[in-house]
Amino acid sequence: MIQLHDKYFTPYIKADSIDSTIKKMAAEIKADCGDEVPVFIGVLNGAFRFVADLMKHYNGDCEVQFIKMQSYEGTASKGTVLQQIGLNQDLSQRKVVILEDIIDTGNTLTEIYKLLENQGVDDFKIASLFFKPTAYTKEHSIHYIGFEIPDRFIVGYGLDYDGLGRNLSDIYQLKTTYMTNLVLFGPPGAGKGTQADVLKEKYNLVHISTGDVFRYNIKNKTDLGTLAKSYIDKGHLVPDEVTIKMLNAEVEKNPDANGFIFDGFPRTEAQAESLDRLLTEKGSQVNAMIALEVDDEILVSRLMERGKTSGRPDDANESVIRDRIAVYYKQTAVLKNYYQKQEKFIGVDGVGSIEEISIRLSEAIDSL
Ligand code: 5GP
């Protein structure tokens, strides 16, 4: 993923694939021109690299010229006008091949057709490295096409976004889906797991429970799992760096997710910072820290009630329960503060039925 100005772009077409496509186009053009010497006309600015590489692969004599189509706002009555810069050679008797980087709506191409016809050029063909058939609204023939692509905005290999990106050798496409990433907190007994399940369904989010991720990696003896286990076996804390790598692997496993629910991470400010870095690298961010808020006495009675049937020893003893709640508040205070400073902290009332709490959470997420 790369960033140009305010936007993010993901890899789309590799340089070697561009090169082999241009090679084929050059061979096709050569076959059609035979022994005649064509005049290539590159359309600036975007086509400069395409022109250079097409000529590199053109196996025969050829000439080159450039034109620049410039659009500018005319008076209100005239609207937008296209003007040409360049083209000062008599091309009436020549074989001309227009080299375009990309044809989108075809408006530019219409102007090029007009321009060539006005200048008495009757033997001309159009070659475009990229073509967006679904965006094209014209009827003009396009004789050589490198890649037909969907109606997406691309950059690289001469194509820019607001001036930047022309120097990239690969083609990248604009990233248009923005993720919703939540950090979910709740004291023991707040119903965090239940609500995470509801939210992941409703918003197509991936629930990353750090505990589950650890267990999965250790059980499957992944490199990171084995590394984490070596610390755990010695009674040491797993370094943040290892944990964040595991989370990164989870994020990368789900490139189509609308976002992630982070559960059990971060636990420290340093971890919160590294989570920010991880998401920033992916052109995203933590959108909110959502904390389910439930009064201590309600939590104690819920957990005591659960302890009667769950058989979990840590649910049966009131002082153990109160300790766990206290640990939760002690641990999360710093994170609440961290996200509050960024205006990302949202407290949600966690008392009520599952549905009532889900509705409150959805309202909080929809307001992001
Ligand atoms: P038209 O819509 O006239 O066919 O295309 C006009 C111009 O818009 C192209 O020559 C090119 O400069 C720009 N353009 C169209 N689609 C894209 C795209 O996906 N990426 C970039 N960087 N420019 C584009």
Side-chain angles (χ1 to χ4, degrees):
M1 177 123 55
I2 54 153
Q3 182 174 10
L4 300 173
H5 298 295
D6 58 329
K7 301 219 181 312
Y8 290 88
F9 297 84
T10 50
Y12 184 36
I13 303 172
K14 287 269 176 218
D16 55 355
S17 157
I18 299 171
D19 195 59
S20 56
T21 296
I22 294 177
K23 212 170 177 169
K24 273 190 223 142
M25 293 175 85
E28 269 179 71
I29 297 172
K30 176 70 178 93
D32 291 348
C33 290
D35 291 334
E36 270 194 78
V37 177
V39 183
F40 293 129
I41 299 181
V43 184
L44 291 173
N45 291 330
F48 73 98
R49 293 185 71 164
F50 175 44
V51 174
D53 285 340
L54 189 104
M55 289 184 75
K56 184 178 82 185
H57 289 304
Y58 193 80
N59 190 15
D61 288 342
C62 54
E63 295 177 24
V64 69
Q65 288 260 337
F66 288 94
I67 53 170
K68 185 160 176 165
M69 309 300 290
Q70 209 179 36
S71 69
Y72 66 90
E73 293 298 317
T75 60
S77 60
K78 285 190 192 142
T80 302
V81 184
L82 284 159
Q83 218 188 32
Q84 59 111 350
I85 298 173
L87 212 60
N88 45 18
Q89 182 184 356
D90 177 14
L91 298 170
S92 53
Q93 306 302 317
R94 302 295 302 270
K95 236 183 180 17
V96 169
V97 183
I98 301 292
L99 301 182
E100 264 278 31
D101 48 343
I102 188 161
I103 295 174
D104 185 8
T105 61
N107 290 339
T108 311
L109 191 58
T110 299
E111 297 305 317
I112 291 173
Y113 264 82
K114 273 193 219 157
L115 174 75
L116 294 174
E117 282 158 8
N118 285 343
Q119 303 233 342
V121 186
D122 11 75
D123 186 2
F124 68 88
K125 291 204 163 147
I126 309 292
S128 187
L129 182 55
F130 299 102
F131 175 52
K132 298 181 186 170
T134 53
Y136 194 56
T137 58
K138 309 288 185 218
E139 302 288 325
H140 316 292
S141 306
I142 304 169
H143 308 86
Y144 310 98
I145 293 171
F147 296 89
E148 288 202 356
I149 61 168
D151 191 5
R152 296 200 193 126
F153 188 78
I154 58 170
V155 293
Y157 196 76
L159 291 155
D160 72 313
Y161 166 54
D162 201 6
L164 298 184
R166 296 192 196 276
N167 55 325
L168 300 164
S169 293
D170 296 336
I171 290 285
Y172 292 78
Q173 62 178 327
L174 180 66
K175 186 171 186 287
T176 47
T177 49
Y178 290 95
M179 295 195 282
T180 302
N181 297 308
L182 308 173
V183 172
L184 187 61
F185 278 92
K192 193 168 50 123
T194 311
Q195 294 301 335
D197 284 345
V198 176
L199 296 180
K200 79 175 192 201
E201 285 300 317
K202 178 160 180 198
Y203 293 97
N204 184 27
L205 304 176
V206 174
H207 179 199
I208 301 188
S209 153
T210 314
D212 289 347
V213 172
F214 265 104
R215 281 185 287 275
Y216 169 86
N217 278 278
I218 291 172
K219 184 162 163 258
N220 290 288
K221 299 198 170 65
T222 65
D223 288 349
L224 289 169
T226 311
L227 183 60
K229 191 166 180 296
S230 71
Y231 288 98
I232 295 167
D233 287 349
K234 284 185 215 128
H236 296 162
L237 282 175
V238 177
D240 287 351
E241 198 189 304
V242 177
T243 311
I244 201 89
K245 278 190 183 151
M246 281 191 199
L247 297 185
N248 187 40
E250 289 304 305
V251 171
E252 295 202 332
K253 262 190 228 166
N254 296 285
D256 297 326
N258 285 349
F260 296 88
I261 302 173
F262 294 94
D263 175 359
F265 191 92
R267 287 191 194 273
T268 63
E269 196 167 323
Q271 290 183 349
E273 285 166 358
S274 54
L275 181 62
D276 281 348
R277 274 196 299 278
L278 183 152
L279 293 173
T280 305
E281 275 168 23
K282 309 218 160 348
S284 196
Q285 58 169 340
V286 170
N287 299 82
M289 167 186 176
I290 298 187
L292 285 171
E293 294 174 336
V294 182
D295 183 79
D296 286 5
E297 297 315 309
I298 298 177
L299 291 174
V300 172
S301 66
R302 271 192 201 169
L303 289 172
M304 295 286 284
E305 203 46 46
R306 185 168 88 180
K308 282 183 197 161
T309 52
S310 76
R312 278 178 60 162
D314 57 349
D315 280 352
N317 179 320
E318 187 176 330
S319 75
V320 172
I321 291 173
R322 288 192 187 277
D323 269 356
R324 284 164 59 203
I325 297 171
V327 166
Y328 167 80
Y329 283 111
K330 197 160 165 250
Q331 268 187 355
T332 48
V334 53
L335 294 160
K336 181 172 172 177
N337 186 32
Y338 179 86
Y339 289 110
Q340 244 164 0
K341 271 196 235 151
Q342 302 180 28
E343 297 181 7
K344 289 181 177 171
F345 174 83
I346 305 176
V348 171
D349 180 5
V351 182
S353 69
I354 293 176
E355 291 74 21
E356 281 167 341
I357 300 165
S358 301
I359 289 170
R360 288 179 207 140
L361 284 167
S362 300
E363 282 169 358
I365 295 169
D366 293 340
S367 73
L368 291 175

